[in-house]
Amino acid sequence: MNHDAFIVPPGSKISLKKNYDPGYKTDFYQKGDALTKLKADIERLANYQNILYAQNTYALLIIFQAMDAAGKDSTIKHVMSGVNPQGFQVFSFKGPSTEELDHDYLWRTTKALPERGRIGIFNRSYYEEVLVVRVHPEMLKKQQLPNFPEGNQIWKQRFQEINNLEKYLVDNGVIILKFFLNVSKSEQKKRFLERIDLPEKNWKFSANDVRERAFWNDYMDAYEEVFNHTSTKWAPWYIIPADRKWFTRLVVADIICTKLEKLNLKYPTVTEEHKQQLLEAKRILEQEDS
């Protein structure tokens, strides 16, 4: 699959409304074809994860950002369904706790970074600090900051800090994939109504979801600023159409598998001494009484 339609070119200025269609799908894939390919990619991902874990050189950090009801949870559930839980971890970041507010804004996510050989997923991330906090700047007052740049300067400062962090991580073997699940406002409304109408989905809905929906345009502006300032050569943003969940999962799985494939992962080579130890262990086992 060609990923050019989804990536935000580093250094570019994009418009979500003009450049990225939430309902887009390629002509090549229909739903049935997509489900077949997704199943194959789940198996590929499981294999890559085994080698990633054994090689113990790289870590993979996958970041999901989106508006409510865009399908982050279900995408994680389906795409990662074949992954060994021992080499995989998910962290969800909501409103910061008192302890987290007593640290810098990157602290709570930094301590949750995946170890070498593991896949880590951030369901929301440090990007909340230039998204929800930007839409609701009163939240800055709770962060107990010393004097800081006023107006838009604080966001430019944070963009630079985030870029520096991600460059540092990539230089040290943490591969970063950043996905924005791009759901339309009309599709979000449809999914909200479904959560209200279906008793088994009531638990997913919060009255605050509707309140935040009133800030839709502000969030779109904030997201565009994020993409325009933090889509870099070392950690570009992928904007994934999210109105069709089956297509969202297809694209995310393909991008993850392609990234892992390009790492040229290999199982560790065994030394000659180790080989001799294996042969000796085999000899001992074969000589045991049944």
Side-chain angles (χ1 to χ4, degrees):
M1 180 186 293
N2 189 324
H3 302 150
D4 291 347
F6 314 113
I7 198 166
V8 177
S12 67
K13 299 291 183 182
I14 63 97
S15 165
L16 277 173
K17 187 174 182 179
K18 294 179 181 179
N19 303 132
Y20 298 91
D21 177 9
Y24 172 83
K25 72 176 184 65
T26 60
D27 293 333
F28 182 75
Y29 289 105
Q30 298 303 318
K31 187 172 182 179
D33 300 323
L35 294 176
T36 300
K37 186 180 186 308
L38 177 60
K39 182 178 179 181
D41 281 346
I42 289 171
E43 293 176 359
R44 288 173 64 203
L45 180 53
N47 182 56
Y48 286 137
Q49 186 219 7
N50 287 336
I51 308 174
L52 179 79
Y53 187 85
Q55 183 175 310
N56 200 36
T57 300
Y58 296 103
L60 177 61
L61 173 63
I62 304 172
I63 293 173
F64 284 98
Q65 292 287 157
M67 298 295 285
D68 291 321
K72 297 189 305 302
D73 292 342
S74 64
T75 299
I76 294 168
K77 175 183 176 180
H78 284 80
V79 172
M80 309 307 290
S81 60
V83 172
N84 186 334
Q86 293 186 94
F88 169 63
Q89 54 203 28
V90 181
F91 290 94
S92 297
F93 297 98
K94 298 182 181 181
S97 66
T98 301
E99 179 188 20
E100 290 165 345
L101 288 171
D102 277 335
H103 291 81
D104 65 272
Y105 72 94
L106 292 172
W107 177 78
R108 65 174 181 164
T109 50
T110 300
K111 68 189 185 76
L113 288 168
E115 305 165 39
R116 296 190 191 281
R118 294 179 180 271
I119 297 174
I121 289 184
F122 285 177
N123 186 342
R124 302 190 190 276
S125 67
Y126 42 81
Y127 279 101
E128 294 292 281
E129 299 295 334
V130 286
L131 290 167
V132 64
V133 177
R134 186 166 189 171
V135 173
H136 300 287
E138 65 274 11
M139 292 182 177
L140 283 172
K141 296 178 181 179
K142 298 180 180 180
Q143 295 188 359
Q144 306 176 57
L145 298 171
N147 294 329
F148 57 84
E150 296 183 358
N152 289 334
Q153 289 303 312
I154 188 169
W155 312 121
K156 292 179 180 179
Q157 176 179 305
R158 288 190 170 185
F159 292 148
Q160 188 60 54
E161 290 165 348
I162 288 171
N163 288 339
N164 290 341
L165 169 70
E166 292 179 346
K167 182 65 166 62
Y168 166 79
L169 293 176
V170 171
D171 287 347
N172 284 274
V174 181
I175 308 303
I176 302 173
L177 287 174
K178 302 186 296 194
F179 296 114
F180 171 64
L181 304 191
N182 186 25
V183 70
S184 65
K185 192 174 183 181
S186 59
E187 180 64 20
Q188 187 197 57
K189 177 181 178 180
K190 176 183 173 183
R191 294 179 187 179
F192 278 172
L193 289 172
E194 184 180 60
R195 291 180 178 184
I196 293 171
D197 292 338
L198 296 178
E200 64 271 23
K201 292 191 175 184
N202 286 172
W203 66 273
K204 284 187 172 185
F205 187 78
S206 166
N208 189 58
D209 295 341
V210 172
R211 287 193 289 269
E212 285 300 287
R213 182 176 163 84
F215 296 95
W216 183 276
N217 291 337
D218 294 330
Y219 274 109
M220 294 303 103
D221 290 343
Y223 269 111
E224 285 184 3
E225 283 286 291
V226 164
F227 302 143
N228 291 336
H229 288 89
T230 64
S231 190
T232 58
K233 287 186 283 189
W234 53 89
W237 274 101
Y238 293 87
I239 299 180
I240 312 298
D243 279 7
R244 295 179 175 88
K245 290 186 178 182
W246 60 266
F247 188 70
T248 303
R249 298 161 189 167
L250 170 74
V251 177
V252 169
D254 190 81
I255 291 172
I256 295 172
C257 286
T258 300
K259 174 61 72 173
L260 290 173
E261 182 180 17
K262 289 181 178 179
L263 293 179
N264 194 27
L265 299 168
K266 296 179 180 178
Y267 284 107
T269 56
V270 178
T271 65
E272 190 60 36
E273 179 183 3
H274 193 178
K275 289 179 182 178
Q276 293 302 316
Q277 292 173 353
L278 292 175
L279 290 173
E280 177 62 16
K282 181 180 179 181
R283 184 188 65 80
I284 294 171
L285 290 170
E286 288 178 340
Q287 290 179 351
E288 284 184 358
D289 294 332
S290 298

